[in-house]
Amino acid sequence: MTTSFRMAAILAAATLPTLLGAQQQAPAAAARSIPVSNLRYEITFDSATARRHIIAVAVNFDVRDNGAVLLSFPSWTPGSYEISNFARFVSGFSATAGGKPLDWDKLDYDTWRIEPAGARAVTVRFDCHAVTLDNAAAWSQPDFAFVNGTNIFPYPEGRGFEFPASVTVKTQPGWLVTTGMEPAGTAATWRESNYHDLVDKPFFIGRFDVDSQQVEGRWHRLATYPAGAMAGPARSLIWDQIGKTVPKMAAVFRETPWRTYSTMMVFTREVGGGSALEHSNSHVGIYNPGFIGIPLLASITDHEIFHAWNVKRLRPADLWPYDYSRSQPTPWLWVSEGITDYYADLALVRGGVVDSAGFLGLTGQKMEQTAGEPPTALEDASLTTWIGPVDGSQYLYYPKGSLAGFMLDVLIRDASDNRRSLDDVFRELYGAAYKKGRGFTATDWWSAVSRAAGGRPFTEFYEKYIDGREPFPWADILPRAGLRMTSDTLREPRVGVATGQDSSGAIVVQMVQPGSVAEAAGVKVGDQLLALGDIDVTSPTFGDAFRSRFGKSEGDTLSIRVRRGADTLTLHGTVKLSERVESRLDVDPDASAKAVKVRSGIFRGTTEGQSGR
Ligand SMILES: [Zn+2]
């Protein structure tokens, strides 16, 4: 098939005026499916498919023309800036028409070519291996699965993304389905008018807890797996935090852009930390159960919800529209991710989830985090994340971009005597770019920033702190917001291991730092850490107790008690002190009246002549 097609292209080329032109056309023509219509995806996840860790998919569609249907899988899920090639999780591919098998082969590694051979209604079936615990992918347990559309909805290659499609979910009686997708009016069926929305509404299928509340006059849904994991006071707490913070985020844009919003959470000890992925009216987070009830969970939740405005709707032009076939690097992740993180912190303080000291604590942590990494330009960190750089800069645009947003907010409020703020920049761009159906450009961004600051130029700011690697000028910025920084250099005992908690609550060594006390003493990855000296490592006050007991004992013997397999061993190390600079951001009691206005404007989300809500 392929060979004969190439022959035809070469023969045709000879008859055309320019050989080059025809050669360029051939591959483009090869990568275009015949038109397909009436696309209906059917996904099955029940206890039988769960046992095989698969989601069974059927794709039904109609064709009119003769020629091949090309179905491709996305190489990434928007928001998760890495190439995943979801086609690799596909197995058991078949294509039939009227129950008879159709010929198919692969055009490239993520494109299937199907020959309908005159048939008008085609069914394609395959299994998606739901084995990846990553919020961009698909994962299953005996009673539960989450899945992103990018993993299970192949699209007709070269035909654009403005086609409607429906999705029907078949599952076990009594199991639930939650998605942000639009109900189609028939049971267990949803419908979207274009492919971008189709792959932007992940599913939870199975046994989990779900309840709903009104937030800002819209239904907000909370789906949590496993059932019972987040109940009682912990569930009330996150609902309370969502209720307090969403209105503060909506106030920035003066619009709540969704009909319903779904917060979807998976709790599992298979992850040590927590991460989440945004969508236009939902997000999926995967967290260690230790996140339940702690402020960090509210902060991540707010970050993802703020993304519904910033990046899902207001988006850099490089990401508009999404291209699923290749990476889409952009120098703007410091705005799309970093400043989203700034607004997550602002939502917490403006909504009263943390007080102003809590907000300054979070900001101070970001300063410390940024200071510990090699100087990296925000634009470079944004562009490079796709390839997973090993120099520590892969996710630097989060804390450092958040701080850049904080600086811009201070500079705009300072220049306008707190009459304008970074909120005005976002509101203006939301109207001028997103509402006009396009992404924002560098000119859009910097002219909006400059306008908000009364015409102050930001060229030098951009060259030094966004495109450049200069340290942020806190000595100039902080006084404008009535804040100051104090730094202490601490000398602390450090053992040099990274640990995690297993399902029994045991502290298990996950990494031993080269050259550390632990390495010299013979601690190994997989050891269960029991005690350092006579201090039990599972004690809630372990950190303080350890620092006060060994903080002045450089060179003393340190016994390290571990369980290795069936044995309990006592290893011997030497106490080593390491320097750590602790920076604290706090309120300057001697701030000018103007700076106090700026500071309280940031904390409350207000400007002069406009009150917060
Ligand atoms: Zn984010």
Side-chain angles (χ1 to χ4, degrees), residues 468-518:
R469 293 179 290 275
E470 292 202 20
F472 287 175
W474 295 121
D476 171 57
I477 298 287
L478 295 179
R480 295 172 195 259
L483 301 171
R484 61 179 185 182
M485 190 138 54
T486 47
S487 295
D488 297 328
T489 301
L490 309 173
R491 278 173 64 74
E492 292 180 339
R494 199 168 300 164
V495 181
V497 289
T499 58
Q501 219 167 6
D502 75 6
S503 53
S504 68
I507 308 287
V508 179
V509 175
Q510 292 173 335
M511 205 254 307
V512 178
Q513 232 169 47
S516 66
V517 172

Tab-separated table of all heavy atoms in Angstrom, residues 468-518:
chain	number	residue	atom	x	y	z
A	468	GLY	N	16.656	37.467	31.475
A	468	GLY	CA	17.980	37.442	32.105
A	468	GLY	C	18.012	36.607	33.374
A	468	GLY	O	16.996	36.077	33.814
A	469	ARG	N	19.200	36.526	33.964
A	469	ARG	CA	19.388	35.655	35.125
A	469	ARG	C	19.744	36.426	36.390
A	469	ARG	O	20.280	35.862	37.337
A	469	ARG	CB	20.489	34.633	34.814
A	469	ARG	CG	20.121	33.622	33.741
A	469	ARG	CD	21.239	32.658	33.443
A	469	ARG	NE	22.333	33.322	32.747
A	469	ARG	CZ	22.389	33.505	31.431
A	469	ARG	NH1	21.416	33.053	30.661
A	469	ARG	NH2	23.406	34.134	30.868
A	470	GLU	N	19.488	37.760	36.394
A	470	GLU	CA	19.874	38.546	37.574
A	470	GLU	C	18.990	38.197	38.767
A	470	GLU	O	17.804	37.932	38.610
A	470	GLU	CB	19.750	40.041	37.253
A	470	GLU	CG	20.775	40.466	36.238
A	470	GLU	CD	21.075	41.952	36.266
A	470	GLU	OE1	20.789	42.599	37.290
A	470	GLU	OE2	21.597	42.430	35.254
A	471	PRO	N	19.599	38.204	39.963
A	471	PRO	CA	18.785	37.933	41.158
A	471	PRO	C	17.692	39.000	41.313
A	471	PRO	O	17.904	40.153	40.941
A	471	PRO	CB	19.783	38.006	42.313
A	471	PRO	CG	21.070	38.472	41.749
A	471	PRO	CD	21.011	38.454	40.264
A	472	PHE	N	16.562	38.606	41.849
A	472	PHE	CA	15.448	39.552	41.999
A	472	PHE	C	15.813	40.643	43.009
A	472	PHE	O	16.415	40.362	44.049
A	472	PHE	CB	14.176	38.814	42.429
A	472	PHE	CG	13.550	37.991	41.324
A	472	PHE	CD1	12.444	37.185	41.593
A	472	PHE	CD2	14.041	38.028	40.022
A	472	PHE	CE1	11.847	36.429	40.579
A	472	PHE	CE2	13.456	37.277	39.004
A	472	PHE	CZ	12.349	36.475	39.294
A	473	PRO	N	15.434	41.896	42.724
A	473	PRO	CA	15.877	43.053	43.527
A	473	PRO	C	15.009	43.286	44.758
A	473	PRO	O	14.311	44.297	44.861
A	473	PRO	CB	15.743	44.207	42.527
A	473	PRO	CG	14.577	43.815	41.662
A	473	PRO	CD	14.604	42.308	41.582
A	474	TRP	N	15.040	42.347	45.697
A	474	TRP	CA	14.127	42.437	46.846
A	474	TRP	C	14.331	43.697	47.669
A	474	TRP	O	13.379	44.226	48.242
A	474	TRP	CB	14.238	41.178	47.708
A	474	TRP	CG	13.774	39.955	46.988
A	474	TRP	CD1	14.495	38.828	46.713
A	474	TRP	CD2	12.483	39.748	46.392
A	474	TRP	NE1	13.738	37.937	45.980
A	474	TRP	CE2	12.497	38.468	45.774
A	474	TRP	CE3	11.318	40.520	46.303
A	474	TRP	CZ2	11.385	37.951	45.097
A	474	TRP	CZ3	10.222	39.998	45.627
A	474	TRP	CH2	10.266	38.735	45.035
A	475	ALA	N	15.597	44.180	47.742
A	475	ALA	CA	15.869	45.376	48.552
A	475	ALA	C	15.095	46.579	48.010
A	475	ALA	O	14.743	47.497	48.754
A	475	ALA	CB	17.367	45.670	48.560
A	476	ASP	N	14.815	46.575	46.697
A	476	ASP	CA	14.033	47.655	46.100
A	476	ASP	C	12.530	47.373	46.177
A	476	ASP	O	11.727	48.267	46.426
A	476	ASP	CB	14.453	47.820	44.627
A	476	ASP	CG	13.538	48.779	43.877
A	476	ASP	OD1	13.422	49.943	44.337
A	476	ASP	OD2	12.924	48.374	42.884
A	477	ILE	N	12.158	46.107	45.986
A	477	ILE	CA	10.730	45.757	45.868
A	477	ILE	C	10.011	45.759	47.224
A	477	ILE	O	8.938	46.345	47.372
A	477	ILE	CB	10.578	44.346	45.225
A	477	ILE	CG1	11.156	44.316	43.807
A	477	ILE	CG2	9.130	43.862	45.258
A	477	ILE	CD1	10.343	45.022	42.757
A	478	LEU	N	10.610	45.076	48.206
A	478	LEU	CA	9.880	44.831	49.454
A	478	LEU	C	9.430	46.112	50.172
A	478	LEU	O	8.280	46.174	50.624
A	478	LEU	CB	10.702	43.924	50.384
A	478	LEU	CG	10.921	42.501	49.843
A	478	LEU	CD1	11.777	41.686	50.813
A	478	LEU	CD2	9.587	41.783	49.593
A	479	PRO	N	10.304	47.164	50.262
A	479	PRO	CA	9.849	48.368	50.957
A	479	PRO	C	8.623	49.020	50.304
A	479	PRO	O	7.810	49.639	50.979
A	479	PRO	CB	11.063	49.313	50.859
A	479	PRO	CG	12.232	48.422	50.621
A	479	PRO	CD	11.697	47.267	49.831
A	480	ARG	N	8.482	48.849	48.978
A	480	ARG	CA	7.320	49.432	48.289
A	480	ARG	C	6.014	48.781	48.759
A	480	ARG	O	4.935	49.318	48.536
A	480	ARG	CB	7.437	49.230	46.776
A	480	ARG	CG	8.607	49.954	46.125
A	480	ARG	CD	8.717	49.512	44.667
A	480	ARG	NE	9.993	49.889	44.081
A	480	ARG	CZ	10.155	50.944	43.269
A	480	ARG	NH1	9.147	51.702	42.942
A	480	ARG	NH2	11.350	51.214	42.761
A	481	ALA	N	6.128	47.560	49.327
A	481	ALA	CA	4.938	46.867	49.824
A	481	ALA	C	4.949	46.778	51.350
A	481	ALA	O	4.193	45.986	51.936
A	481	ALA	CB	4.858	45.468	49.227
A	482	GLY	N	5.792	47.598	51.999
A	482	GLY	CA	5.825	47.608	53.464
A	482	GLY	C	6.270	46.287	54.061
A	482	GLY	O	5.815	45.887	55.131
A	483	LEU	N	7.185	45.603	53.354
A	483	LEU	CA	7.668	44.300	53.830
A	483	LEU	C	9.182	44.347	53.986
A	483	LEU	O	9.849	45.203	53.413
A	483	LEU	CB	7.284	43.199	52.831
A	483	LEU	CG	5.797	43.028	52.555
A	483	LEU	CD1	5.574	42.067	51.394
A	483	LEU	CD2	5.053	42.538	53.801
A	484	ARG	N	9.716	43.437	54.746
A	484	ARG	CA	11.170	43.339	54.894
A	484	ARG	C	11.563	41.881	55.061
A	484	ARG	O	10.735	41.038	55.416
A	484	ARG	CB	11.646	44.160	56.098
A	484	ARG	CG	11.026	43.654	57.362
A	484	ARG	CD	11.465	44.408	58.588
A	484	ARG	NE	10.892	43.737	59.754
A	484	ARG	CZ	11.044	44.149	60.999
A	484	ARG	NH1	11.740	45.231	61.270
A	484	ARG	NH2	10.497	43.473	61.995
A	485	MET	N	12.842	41.633	54.791
A	485	MET	CA	13.319	40.256	54.893
A	485	MET	C	14.412	40.188	55.938
A	485	MET	O	15.317	41.022	55.967
A	485	MET	CB	13.875	39.793	53.567
A	485	MET	CG	14.161	38.328	53.550
A	485	MET	SD	13.667	37.571	52.024
A	485	MET	CE	14.501	38.576	50.853
A	486	THR	N	14.326	39.190	56.779
A	486	THR	CA	15.412	38.951	57.724
A	486	THR	C	15.943	37.549	57.452
A	486	THR	O	15.171	36.637	57.153
A	486	THR	CB	14.908	39.046	59.177
A	486	THR	OG1	13.702	38.287	59.276
A	486	THR	CG2	14.622	40.470	59.566
A	487	SER	N	17.252	37.410	57.483
A	487	SER	CA	17.850	36.101	57.216
A	487	SER	C	18.672	35.657	58.408
A	487	SER	O	19.393	36.449	59.006
A	487	SER	CB	18.783	36.177	56.007
A	487	SER	OG	18.043	36.476	54.865
A	488	ASP	N	18.550	34.390	58.756
A	488	ASP	CA	19.411	33.794	59.780
A	488	ASP	C	20.167	32.646	59.135
A	488	ASP	O	19.596	31.884	58.363
A	488	ASP	CB	18.572	33.197	60.921
A	488	ASP	CG	17.775	34.269	61.638
A	488	ASP	OD1	18.265	35.410	61.710
A	488	ASP	OD2	16.659	33.955	62.098
A	489	THR	N	21.443	32.541	59.469
A	489	THR	CA	22.188	31.370	59.023
A	489	THR	C	22.200	30.367	60.172
A	489	THR	O	22.677	30.664	61.264
A	489	THR	CB	23.617	31.756	58.627
A	489	THR	OG1	23.540	32.727	57.590
A	489	THR	CG2	24.388	30.554	58.115
A	490	LEU	N	21.638	29.207	59.917
A	490	LEU	CA	21.550	28.181	60.959
A	490	LEU	C	22.533	27.073	60.657
A	490	LEU	O	22.798	26.768	59.494
A	490	LEU	CB	20.134	27.594	60.988
A	490	LEU	CG	18.981	28.586	61.048
A	490	LEU	CD1	17.653	27.866	60.888
A	490	LEU	CD2	19.019	29.340	62.379
A	491	ARG	N	23.093	26.496	61.716
A	491	ARG	CA	23.908	25.283	61.534
A	491	ARG	C	23.125	24.132	62.130
A	491	ARG	O	22.790	24.140	63.300
A	491	ARG	CB	25.275	25.455	62.204
A	491	ARG	CG	26.238	26.235	61.288
A	491	ARG	CD	27.541	26.565	61.989
A	491	ARG	NE	28.339	25.402	62.375
A	491	ARG	CZ	29.036	24.655	61.526
A	491	ARG	NH1	29.038	24.941	60.254
A	491	ARG	NH2	29.752	23.641	61.960
A	492	GLU	N	22.814	23.166	61.272
A	492	GLU	CA	21.935	22.083	61.707
A	492	GLU	C	22.567	20.726	61.443
A	492	GLU	O	23.277	20.562	60.442
A	492	GLU	CB	20.616	22.142	60.936
A	492	GLU	CG	19.777	23.336	61.276
A	492	GLU	CD	18.475	23.349	60.486
A	492	GLU	OE1	18.396	22.688	59.429
A	492	GLU	OE2	17.553	24.015	60.930
A	493	PRO	N	22.267	19.760	62.315
A	493	PRO	CA	22.752	18.400	62.040
A	493	PRO	C	21.973	17.833	60.849
A	493	PRO	O	20.758	17.997	60.776
A	493	PRO	CB	22.413	17.639	63.323
A	493	PRO	CG	21.294	18.406	63.947
A	493	PRO	CD	21.453	19.836	63.515
A	494	ARG	N	22.677	17.211	59.905
A	494	ARG	CA	21.990	16.618	58.752
A	494	ARG	C	22.527	15.218	58.489
A	494	ARG	O	23.725	14.997	58.491
A	494	ARG	CB	22.171	17.504	57.524
A	494	ARG	CG	21.134	17.188	56.465
A	494	ARG	CD	21.093	18.231	55.368
A	494	ARG	NE	20.780	19.562	55.864
A	494	ARG	CZ	20.980	20.678	55.160
A	494	ARG	NH1	21.526	20.621	53.978
A	494	ARG	NH2	20.659	21.845	55.665
A	495	VAL	N	21.614	14.263	58.300
A	495	VAL	CA	22.001	12.861	58.112
A	495	VAL	C	22.219	12.545	56.636
A	495	VAL	O	23.082	11.760	56.277
A	495	VAL	CB	20.922	11.925	58.717
A	495	VAL	CG1	21.320	10.464	58.551
A	495	VAL	CG2	20.749	12.238	60.200
A	496	GLY	N	21.400	13.173	55.758
A	496	GLY	CA	21.586	12.980	54.313
A	496	GLY	C	20.805	11.827	53.722
A	496	GLY	O	21.321	11.076	52.912
A	497	VAL	N	19.525	11.680	54.146
A	497	VAL	CA	18.667	10.682	53.498
A	497	VAL	C	17.344	11.357	53.116
A	497	VAL	O	16.927	12.306	53.746
A	497	VAL	CB	18.319	9.475	54.416
A	497	VAL	CG1	19.521	8.596	54.631
A	497	VAL	CG2	17.711	9.931	55.735
A	498	ALA	N	16.739	10.829	52.041
A	498	ALA	CA	15.357	11.195	51.738
A	498	ALA	C	14.521	9.991	52.126
A	498	ALA	O	14.898	8.851	51.865
A	498	ALA	CB	15.193	11.496	50.259
A	499	THR	N	13.401	10.241	52.806
A	499	THR	CA	12.585	9.126	53.299
A	499	THR	C	11.136	9.272	52.850
A	499	THR	O	10.702	10.346	52.463
A	499	THR	CB	12.596	9.076	54.844
A	499	THR	OG1	12.103	10.324	55.329
A	499	THR	CG2	13.987	8.807	55.392
A	500	GLY	N	10.408	8.179	52.910
A	500	GLY	CA	8.970	8.200	52.658
A	500	GLY	C	8.300	7.288	53.671
A	500	GLY	O	8.974	6.491	54.339
A	501	GLN	N	6.975	7.434	53.793
A	501	GLN	CA	6.249	6.620	54.754
A	501	GLN	C	5.547	5.493	54.006
A	501	GLN	O	4.908	5.738	52.988
A	501	GLN	CB	5.200	7.492	55.457
A	501	GLN	CG	5.085	7.177	56.921
A	501	GLN	CD	4.294	8.235	57.672
A	501	GLN	OE1	3.747	9.150	57.088
A	501	GLN	NE2	4.236	8.092	58.976
A	502	ASP	N	5.680	4.260	54.449
A	502	ASP	CA	4.953	3.186	53.768
A	502	ASP	C	3.565	3.035	54.393
A	502	ASP	O	3.195	3.800	55.280
A	502	ASP	CB	5.761	1.883	53.765
A	502	ASP	CG	5.767	1.182	55.115
A	502	ASP	OD1	5.047	1.638	56.029
A	502	ASP	OD2	6.491	0.185	55.259
A	503	SER	N	2.789	2.050	53.890
A	503	SER	CA	1.383	1.962	54.309
A	503	SER	C	1.231	1.664	55.798
A	503	SER	O	0.214	1.954	56.394
A	503	SER	CB	0.660	0.899	53.477
A	503	SER	OG	1.378	-0.310	53.543
A	504	SER	N	2.280	1.113	56.434
A	504	SER	CA	2.185	0.835	57.867
A	504	SER	C	2.649	2.030	58.696
A	504	SER	O	2.645	1.990	59.917
A	504	SER	CB	3.031	-0.389	58.209
A	504	SER	OG	4.404	-0.074	58.035
A	505	GLY	N	3.073	3.111	58.017
A	505	GLY	CA	3.531	4.297	58.743
A	505	GLY	C	5.025	4.281	58.999
A	505	GLY	O	5.564	5.215	59.592
A	506	ALA	N	5.713	3.213	58.557
A	506	ALA	CA	7.155	3.128	58.765
A	506	ALA	C	7.892	4.145	57.890
A	506	ALA	O	7.430	4.464	56.801
A	506	ALA	CB	7.639	1.724	58.441
A	507	ILE	N	9.029	4.659	58.401
A	507	ILE	CA	9.832	5.625	57.651
A	507	ILE	C	10.901	4.844	56.880
A	507	ILE	O	11.773	4.214	57.481
A	507	ILE	CB	10.522	6.630	58.611
A	507	ILE	CG1	9.494	7.261	59.569
A	507	ILE	CG2	11.307	7.678	57.841
A	507	ILE	CD1	8.565	8.267	58.956
A	508	VAL	N	10.806	4.869	55.561
A	508	VAL	CA	11.688	4.061	54.717
A	508	VAL	C	12.636	4.961	53.929
A	508	VAL	O	12.221	5.987	53.378
A	508	VAL	CB	10.859	3.182	53.747
A	508	VAL	CG1	11.765	2.349	52.854
A	508	VAL	CG2	9.919	2.277	54.545
A	509	VAL	N	13.918	4.573	53.901
A	509	VAL	CA	14.928	5.362	53.191
A	509	VAL	C	14.744	5.190	51.687
A	509	VAL	O	14.739	4.071	51.166
A	509	VAL	CB	16.355	4.919	53.609
A	509	VAL	CG1	17.415	5.642	52.783
A	509	VAL	CG2	16.556	5.158	55.103
A	510	GLN	N	14.574	6.317	50.975
A	510	GLN	CA	14.383	6.274	49.515
A	510	GLN	C	15.624	6.715	48.760
A	510	GLN	O	15.808	6.384	47.612
A	510	GLN	CB	13.190	7.151	49.119
A	510	GLN	CG	11.868	6.574	49.623
A	510	GLN	CD	10.705	7.500	49.391
A	510	GLN	OE1	10.872	8.704	49.294
A	510	GLN	NE2	9.514	6.932	49.304
A	511	MET	N	16.472	7.511	49.432
A	511	MET	CA	17.683	7.987	48.766
A	511	MET	C	18.746	8.260	49.831
A	511	MET	O	18.415	8.745	50.905
A	511	MET	CB	17.369	9.276	48.020
A	511	MET	CG	18.271	9.578	46.838
A	511	MET	SD	19.452	10.891	47.125
A	511	MET	CE	18.466	12.248	47.684
A	512	VAL	N	19.977	7.882	49.527
A	512	VAL	CA	21.088	8.190	50.433
A	512	VAL	C	22.011	9.153	49.694
A	512	VAL	O	22.507	8.841	48.612
A	512	VAL	CB	21.865	6.911	50.838
A	512	VAL	CG1	23.036	7.264	51.743
A	512	VAL	CG2	20.937	5.912	51.519
A	513	GLN	N	22.200	10.333	50.278
A	513	GLN	CA	23.015	11.353	49.620
A	513	GLN	C	24.490	10.961	49.623
A	513	GLN	O	25.017	10.584	50.667
A	513	GLN	CB	22.879	12.655	50.403
A	513	GLN	CG	22.510	13.841	49.573
A	513	GLN	CD	22.133	14.998	50.477
A	513	GLN	OE1	22.834	15.306	51.442
A	513	GLN	NE2	21.009	15.630	50.174
A	514	PRO	N	25.150	11.053	48.437
A	514	PRO	CA	26.589	10.753	48.396
A	514	PRO	C	27.358	11.685	49.337
A	514	PRO	O	27.051	12.872	49.417
A	514	PRO	CB	26.977	11.022	46.938
A	514	PRO	CG	25.693	11.013	46.166
A	514	PRO	CD	24.619	11.432	47.122
A	515	GLY	N	28.325	11.128	50.048
A	515	GLY	CA	29.159	11.933	50.941
A	515	GLY	C	28.495	12.270	52.264
A	515	GLY	O	29.040	13.025	53.061
A	516	SER	N	27.305	11.726	52.509
A	516	SER	CA	26.569	12.098	53.720
A	516	SER	C	26.953	11.223	54.906
A	516	SER	O	27.642	10.203	54.765
A	516	SER	CB	25.071	11.961	53.464
A	516	SER	OG	24.757	10.592	53.247
A	517	VAL	N	26.492	11.637	56.086
A	517	VAL	CA	26.673	10.869	57.313
A	517	VAL	C	26.061	9.470	57.140
A	517	VAL	O	26.659	8.460	57.518
A	517	VAL	CB	25.981	11.614	58.489
A	517	VAL	CG1	25.976	10.747	59.743
A	517	VAL	CG2	26.655	12.958	58.738
A	518	ALA	N	24.865	9.437	56.529
A	518	ALA	CA	24.163	8.163	56.354
A	518	ALA	C	24.966	7.208	55.476
A	518	ALA	O	25.070	6.016	55.773
A	518	ALA	CB	22.786	8.418	55.731
